[in-house]
Amino acid sequence: MDNAARVTTLAGEPCDMSNWDAGNCPVRDVMNQIAGKWSTLILELLAQRPYRFGELRRLVPDISQRMLTQTLRDLQRDGYIDRQVFPTKPPSVEYSMTELGHSLFEPLSKVLAWAGDNHAAVKAARVKFDASELG
Amino acid sequence: MDNAARVTTLAGEPCDMSNWDAGNCPVRDVMNQIAGKWSTLILELLAQRPYRFGELRRLVPDISQRMLTQTLRDLQRDGYIDRQVFPTKPPSVEYSMTELGHSLFEPLSKVLAWAGDNHAAVKAARVKFDASELG
DNA sequence: CAGCATCCTATGCGATACTG
DNA sequence: CAGTATCGCATAGGATGCTG
């Protein structure tokens, strides 16, 4: 086995790094989506309960409706959330998390919790690093 | 309490969404870094054992040395990895994961494992979604 | 209400060349 | 070997206006 081209990941899965393009490597293919600027926030909200488009917009005030639409579409495309249209007048659209989404959010929520618990340590590391960069 | 501006996240932490800029929201501040194209890959490698710059370069053949340098610097800045210079000739630099990095990688590795386990389901969801977009 | 279309800017990232 | 410096592109994302 060519050690320079193939490595065993901690997840226990061999991953051919000479072909680690986004479509071929599960890690990169999946992470690329949830790595978006707003994806984790939307997932965190929809993990609690379904929300309508306008509710999400109000809950995340600094998102443009362009990005909200696009993020929801991408998450729906990957199977994490469902989109249900109520043909009322005016129409209303409700987004909810799928089973696949919940199963992703289970480990993901641990990372988000880690971020909350260790944000101070990370910020402290940055200050220290930036200080040592001077002089 | 203004429900439109404040919500309780699943992590159990109130997060003022009217001020959810990257520097203020732990989730966004931490995720923004590990969301980079190469961060999770480098973390996955360094979680196993320390590596030198050139080794990482060979293990991830399609990364430019510019991005490898920048990714390593960013991860070091956030306190996830250490950089030790051996003043040999030619010099050699070894990167290793810190305790903070390992504590982050513990939950993160679960997400990466999820990606490996559910990559097929995600790809299937995409095919289904794209098909329903036509006609 | 829940979008889509258009335009524009910021920047992540790659390619190439040079250095202690 | 392990970087830095410069250039250039592709795309993520924001602002604004229009629609069923």
Side-chain angles (χ1 to χ4, degrees), chain A residues 4 8-10 17 20 29 38 41 44 48 58-59 73 77-78 103 105 114 119 126 130 133, chain B residues 4 8-10 17 20 28-29 41 44 48 58-59 73 77-78 103 105 114 119 126 130 133:
Chain A
T8 299
T9 68
L10 258 204
M17 294 222 184
W20 250 12
D29 194 27
W38 308 102
L41 261 49
E44 199 164 8
Q48 306 178 55
R58 275 186 297 277
L59 285 169
R73 261 185 69 95
R77 190 174 108 96
D78 278 18
S103 87
F105 192 73
W114 187 95
H119 192 203
R126 285 178 193 160
D130 293 345
E133 288 297 284
Chain B
T8 299
T9 68
L10 257 204
M17 294 221 185
W20 250 13
R28 280 169 64 172
D29 194 26
L41 261 48
E44 201 164 7
Q48 307 177 54
R58 277 187 295 278
L59 286 168
R73 261 185 71 95
R77 190 173 108 95
D78 278 19
S103 87
F105 192 72
W114 188 95
H119 192 204
R126 285 179 193 160
D130 292 345
E133 287 297 283

Side-chain angles (χ1 to χ4, degrees), chain A residues 61-90:
Chain A
D62 56 341
I63 193 175
S64 61
Q65 96 276 50
R66 176 179 136 74
M67 283 318 295
L68 180 54
T69 300
Q70 184 176 306
T71 301
L72 289 169
R73 261 185 69 95
D74 290 345
L75 293 177
Q76 184 195 359
R77 190 174 108 96
D78 278 18
Y80 302 140
I81 65 177
D82 259 339
R83 177 177 183 271
Q84 188 173 6
V85 182
F86 298 96
T88 54
K89 236 175 131 65

